Amino acid sequence: MKFKQITVPVSAALVLATGSNFAIAGTLTGGATMPEQIVQEGTAIMQLSRAAEQVQNQLQMLLNEARNLQNLPTNFTSQITGELGQLTNIVGQGNALSYAGQNISSQLSSEYPGYNNGVNYQQEYQNWNNTTSQNIQNALQAQNLASTQFATQGQALASIESASQSAAGRMQVLQAGNQISAMEVKQLQKMQQISMAQNDAQLAYEKQKLTEASQQNSLSQQELGTFLGTGGQNAMGSGSSINLGNTSQFNPN
């Protein structure tokens, strides 16, 4: 799987380093039916959104400490590194979920032609991914952080730790992280809306097909009833009038 722009390779590396977290997106393919995959996708997005909110709160607290305290705790740098590491992990999982959503959309289009009522959900997920990547780029550039420094997991963590050694550097990475985490929360909420809309479209399609099948079955029953009530009875009536001859002449002896 190839990702665009610098933030995604960083995230992918961090996710692979903490493989248990990556399973959130991996569960979407394990033998589940299509409706189950949609539900799993929505649940995973919701869980990831909550995790992003927690990281956002922690980063905001660290940013406030950096602004207000002259003497910071000795473990402050490691706290920054840890929270931003979790943030990059969340970004990676968000991108993984967007690709899973595109795959689900593709399968739905194949199995349920016309279910989307003209909405291209694959494109919706792709737009989400592009917007997220661009917003992260903008946040890094706004704090004068070079994109090349975040090309790999090792470079990203080294850059964060190095920048955090100075007051100016701490503010840079914390402000960038705070902006990215707030954006990621909003983006995950938007992805959840896309997933819910896709789920509603699929359910509406199935309901429509069931209604059409029921109407067709009802029509068939009506046709059968009409046949039995008119033509069928006429056919049986004409059969019952067959001339069997004069039975009084029949002599069993």
Side-chain angles (χ1 to χ4, degrees), residues 7 14 81 93 95 106 109 113 117 124 133 160 162 169 198 203 214 216 224 233:
T7 56
L14 286 172
T81 304
Q93 291 190 57
N95 280 280
S106 177
S109 297
N117 292 324
E124 290 286 315
S133 296
I160 291 169
S162 175
Q198 183 173 246
L203 291 175
S214 177
Q216 184 62 41
L224 179 60
Q233 288 185 354

Side-chain angles (χ1 to χ4, degrees), residues 6-18 81 85 88-89 148-161:
I6 58 94
T7 56
V8 180
V10 174
S11 305
L14 286 172
V15 168
L16 291 174
T18 55
T81 304
T88 24
N89 188 23
T148 54
Q149 293 177 323
F150 294 82
T152 67
Q153 175 193 2
Q155 289 177 358
L157 295 178
S159 297
I160 291 169
E161 187 169 1

Side-chain angles (χ1 to χ4, degrees), residues 91-199:
V91 171
Q93 291 190 57
N95 280 280
L97 286 170
S98 76
Y99 283 105
Q102 291 179 56
N103 291 334
I104 291 173
S105 298
S106 177
Q107 293 179 54
L108 280 172
S109 297
S110 299
E111 296 184 22
Y112 304 95
Y115 90 96
N116 53 15
N117 292 324
V119 179
N120 189 337
Y121 290 103
Q122 282 183 271
Q123 189 61 51
E124 290 286 315
Y125 281 107
Q126 182 61 56
N127 292 342
W128 182 95
N129 189 72
N130 293 340
T131 300
T132 301
S133 296
Q134 187 59 56
N135 287 344
I136 293 174
Q137 289 279 5
N138 294 340
L140 292 172
Q141 292 173 2
Q143 300 302 323
N144 296 317
L145 297 173
S147 299
T148 54
Q149 293 177 323
F150 294 82
T152 67
Q153 175 193 2
Q155 289 177 358
L157 295 178
S159 297
I160 291 169
E161 187 169 1
S162 175
S164 300
Q165 300 302 320
S166 67
R170 281 194 294 269
M171 295 303 295
Q172 282 181 312
V173 294
L174 281 172
Q175 287 174 344
N178 199 51
Q179 182 178 346
I180 290 170
S181 63
M183 177 276 302
E184 188 71 15
V185 169
K186 292 181 179 179
Q187 282 295 96
L188 288 170
Q189 290 171 347
K190 182 175 181 180
M191 191 199 291
Q192 190 172 9
Q193 293 173 353
I194 297 172
S195 178
M196 291 172 63
Q198 183 173 246
N199 184 47

